Amino acid sequence: MPYDDPDPGDPMLLVGVTLPAEEDSAEEMAYVFAEEFARLGFSEQRLLSLFQEPFYAGAHQALELLGENRIRGIVQEAVGMWGHFPYRVNEPVARPSWDVPVGALAFPGSTKAHNPDGDEV
Amino acid sequence: MSQVYNWQLGRQMSYPYDGKYPERQFAFVFNINRCIACQSCTMACKSTWTFSKGQEHMWWANVETKPYGGYPHAWDVKILDLLHQADPDGRRWRGASAENPQAPYGQFPGKTIFEAAEKFLEPPSARVLGYLPADEEWNSPNIYEDNPVGPKGVRNQFHLTGEQLPVHNTWFFYLARICNHCTYPACLAACPRQAIYKRPEDGIVLIDQSECRGYRKCVEACPYKKSMYRGNTRVSEKCIGCYPRVEGSDPETGGEPMETRCMCACIGQIRMQSLVKLNPDGTWAEDRQHPLYYLVHVAKVALPLYPQFGTSPNGFYIPPRWVPREYLRQMFGPGVDQAIERYSNPDRELLAVLQLFRRSNRIIFRYEIEEGPLAYEGLYRGKQVRIYNDTAIAFGENGRELFRTTVEEPLHVRPAKHQNSI
């Protein structure tokens, strides 16, 4: 990215062009963001904070154009439809025991062995 | 020139060679509604195939911001302009979308890049209408696109709020692109050395590096600009469709075909790639339970990129819902309105098939749906909606089940003991 002042003679200079959106474009974009992220498991609060984050340019633009109340309504609607996720806690898979004595994993000269499960032995 | 049938245009068209079709064709569907331009695909490809000296500007897979962006710059605007100059009155689709898989989008009577060359280019040996991008059009792939920039003169720091301009009621979207491994490749048609060929087993288009002499006719001809010249070896290179993975020779899968690097790296889950069966005339053979056949020919939510160029690209896109329709119709043809309507209000089968995206890195050849219970019933955007928690089951090449997933996919939560483990 060039940091110097713009050079009007530069053929690569960015020229702003108006590309007006259709009337309901911002609303449609907001619905798409809300639906896709709700389906990924985002909660209402998390989704709303995505819209509030200026670095999510598209979502934030929709919030600026439609206002926070409208976005909140869209988020609630999307989460209402897609937010029924059954949460599942995965229990650790039982592994076969090590086929070498743990003491054999000690570094040379060390009195402690390295245990991949994190416990010191 | 020979006459070949292009089902995307719904008519016969001129092509420098006779139609020769592979047994199965490499094809893919990208769902633009989900793309966040994270560039994971771009980097997966770069770090696998184009990391060497002389390939610095080469991005076989790229994601550009539309409508402004493009790699090389303004590639689509330039080729559309050339076609418009060559055939100003022909750029209209005729007829309605039909159930007929021979002409699902109606008919496009306008000149393709091959037909425009036939009529307008000199010398007569010129086979494809195109242009050769200048070096500076290749060397900054995302310049001025939707990328964060920092304050002037300060390195490694972004603006704290990111807001620099007043908010306009405008639009943009991200277009992920790779080589389309076209049924009628323009690169192949233009090569004076016949160094480019389409593999009979999977339709992947390759450049024979020992035959290429670097004339760059393929770079000039490919309307999608996915053939690139390498200065230090003085030959051209292009996307190889990760063919060792598609062949199943990657040791990870034990012989089972695997999707390309760019597909597998997609965190937005926008991508699905497979091999589709072809009829003797190059149209897709009916294969009702193939997920790509379903998305392209049954649900018709996935559309080819600039079909009017005439190369019959094998990359298909689910168009973004919020973008002005005129723009989308130019980019994806007349099927846009129906595709968006169906994607916005998916039926039971479409909803289940959409779950198949990126659940596995194995290539899916067939799917089945097992019906599940009603999971939601209510009003959404003023319409009555019913969602069933159906199960989509994916099968690999040998008919073995790859995975099964449900419409309401459970979120898997790590147990407390492993919250921070990698």
Side-chain angles (χ1 to χ4, degrees):
Chain A
M1 192 72 198
Y3 290 104
D4 299 332
D5 288 329
D7 171 10
D10 180 0
M12 303 298 286
L13 187 71
L14 176 63
V15 180
V17 192
T18 311
L19 285 161
E22 288 177 346
E23 209 172 286
D24 56 352
S25 229
E27 183 153 310
E28 196 61 40
M29 188 149 61
Y31 267 108
V32 173
F33 284 126
E35 280 174 32
E36 298 289 354
F37 281 93
R39 294 180 68 172
L40 287 175
F42 274 44
S43 66
E44 188 181 325
Q45 190 49 47
R46 200 171 163 207
L47 243 171
L48 196 61
S49 58
L50 184 147
F51 279 94
Q52 289 162 339
E53 170 60 70
F55 278 111
Y56 287 105
H60 190 65
Q61 177 185 302
L63 182 133
E64 293 275 312
L65 291 168
L66 300 174
E68 185 145 341
N69 280 343
R70 181 71 192 110
I71 293 293
R72 195 182 292 274
I74 290 171
V75 166
Q76 281 169 350
E77 213 179 335
V79 173
M81 179 163 160
W82 292 109
H84 326 272
F85 287 88
Y87 286 80
R88 182 183 296 169
V89 176
N90 284 342
E91 292 301 329
V93 182
R95 291 186 189 144
S97 59
W98 291 81
D99 57 359
V100 291
V102 175
L105 301 173
F107 291 108
S110 168
T111 54
K112 287 178 180 172
H114 172 69
N115 182 341
D117 285 333
D119 303 318
E120 285 190 346
V121 291
Chain B
M1 287 216 192
S2 300
Q3 288 295 303
V4 293
Y5 190 76
N6 185 329
W7 64 267
Q8 296 179 2
L9 303 183
R11 66 175 175 88
Q12 298 276 339
M13 67 163 202
S14 299
Y15 187 68
Y17 296 107
D18 290 340
K20 290 271 173 61
Y21 308 102
E23 278 170 47
R24 296 186 301 186
Q25 173 62 51
F26 176 99
F28 56 87
V29 168
F30 290 175
N31 182 356
I32 298 179
N33 293 282
R34 288 182 181 175
C35 183
I36 55 172
C38 65
Q39 307 283 3
S40 299
C41 51
T42 310
M43 293 314 299
C45 177
K46 188 81 184 157
S47 58
T48 309
W49 300 115
T50 62
F51 54 81
S52 299
K53 196 172 177 183
Q55 295 177 308
E56 292 83 358
H57 69 290
M58 250 186 217
W59 302 87
W60 292 352
N62 78 294
V63 184
E64 53 203 44
T65 311
K66 288 290 176 198
Y68 176 74
Y71 166 73
H73 299 159
W75 62 273
D76 50 348
V77 177
K78 289 189 175 184
I79 190 67
L80 286 167
D81 190 40
L82 284 174
L83 277 168
H84 182 75
Q85 286 174 34
D87 182 26
D89 302 322
R91 320 310 301 160
R92 291 278 180 276
W93 290 81
R94 200 187 281 161
S97 298
E99 290 306 311
N100 177 10
Q102 297 278 329
Y105 316 125
Q107 197 183 68
F108 183 77
K111 293 198 182 308
T112 65
I113 53 174
F114 309 110
E115 292 160 340
E118 206 174 23
K119 189 161 181 191
F120 296 101
L121 283 191
E122 292 290 334
S125 61
R127 292 169 181 167
V128 187
L129 183 71
Y131 75 100
L132 199 57
D135 286 352
E136 57 267 27
E137 293 172 58
W138 290 108
N139 64 14
S140 308
N142 287 111
I143 193 167
Y144 299 130
E145 292 186 26
D146 173 42
N147 284 325
V149 293
K152 184 178 172 181
V154 181
R155 300 190 71 176
N156 304 324
Q157 189 184 316
F158 294 141
H159 286 290
L160 291 178
T161 64
E163 295 160 297
Q164 290 295 300
L165 292 168
V167 174
H168 298 284
N169 184 18
T170 185
W171 54 275
F172 62 90
F173 66 94
Y174 304 119
L175 186 70
R177 300 199 301 121
I178 62 170
C179 168
N180 289 297
H181 296 281
C182 303
T183 301
Y184 304 112
C187 56
L188 184 154
C191 180
R193 298 267 308 163
Q194 300 192 334
I196 303 182
Y197 62 104
K198 204 166 164 58
R199 302 203 326 163
E201 60 268 45
D202 51 25
I204 288 176
V205 178
L206 296 178
I207 301 176
D208 184 336
Q209 299 285 288
S210 61
E211 287 295 318
C212 178
R213 292 289 179 272
Y215 298 147
R216 283 182 273 187
K217 288 291 176 190
C218 54
V219 183
E220 184 180 342
C222 173
Y224 303 99
K225 296 296 167 234
K226 280 296 175 193
S227 187
M228 298 155 201
Y229 179 70
R230 182 169 174 180
N232 62 341
T233 58
R234 299 182 187 179
V235 290
S236 296
E237 295 180 3
K238 67 175 286 301
C239 161
I240 59 168
C242 290
Y243 69 81
R245 293 166 68 95
V246 173
E247 284 171 357
S249 50
D250 188 297
E252 182 187 327
T253 59
E256 203 151 1
M258 196 180 188
E259 292 189 47
T260 65
R261 286 280 290 127
C262 58
M263 310 286 165
C264 294
C266 178
I267 63 163
Q269 305 184 345
I270 81 159
R271 297 171 171 234
M272 188 195 292
Q273 174 237 313
S274 189
L275 299 167
V276 294
K277 291 181 206 157
L278 296 187
N279 288 319
D281 65 352
T283 56
W284 287 23
E286 186 173 348
D287 192 359
R288 180 63 181 75
Q289 294 306 117
H290 192 292
L292 296 196
Y293 184 88
Y294 172 77
L295 292 167
V296 172
H297 280 295
V298 181
K300 294 184 180 170
V301 293
L303 303 166
L305 179 63
Y306 290 119
Q308 66 269 42
F309 292 167
T311 62
S312 195
N314 289 300
F316 297 83
Y317 292 80
I318 301 179
R321 284 160 45 181
W322 60 89
V323 172
R325 298 296 169 88
E326 277 299 310
Y327 184 88
L328 291 178
R329 284 185 207 114
Q330 182 181 48
M331 185 171 262
F332 301 113
V336 160
D337 299 279
Q338 189 187 40
I340 291 182
E341 172 58 26
R342 287 191 178 163
Y343 180 73
S344 304
N345 305 289
D347 64 18
R348 202 166 164 174
E349 184 170 8
L350 177 56
L351 203 52
V353 171
L354 288 171
Q355 310 308 312
L356 296 171
F357 281 70
R358 298 268 51 79
R359 295 294 188 273
S360 167
N361 55 11
R362 311 298 201 263
I363 294 181
I364 304 169
F365 286 82
R366 186 170 67 84
Y367 71 91
E368 280 177 17
I369 310 287
E370 257 178 26
E371 293 195 346
L374 183 67
Y376 174 82
E377 185 173 17
L379 280 177
Y380 187 68
R381 306 187 73 181
K383 284 185 182 169
Q384 186 69 27
V385 176
R386 278 195 187 87
I387 295 175
Y388 294 86
N389 194 17
D390 294 338
T391 302
I393 310 166
F395 298 90
E397 185 180 36
N398 53 14
R400 197 171 61 81
E401 181 179 320
L402 296 176
F403 64 87
R404 51 182 63 204
T405 183
T406 50
V407 169
E408 288 203 329
E409 195 197 18
L411 285 181
H412 295 269
V413 181
R414 283 167 183 260
K417 187 182 175 190
H418 296 295
Q419 279 297 323
N420 292 316
S421 60
I422 295 174

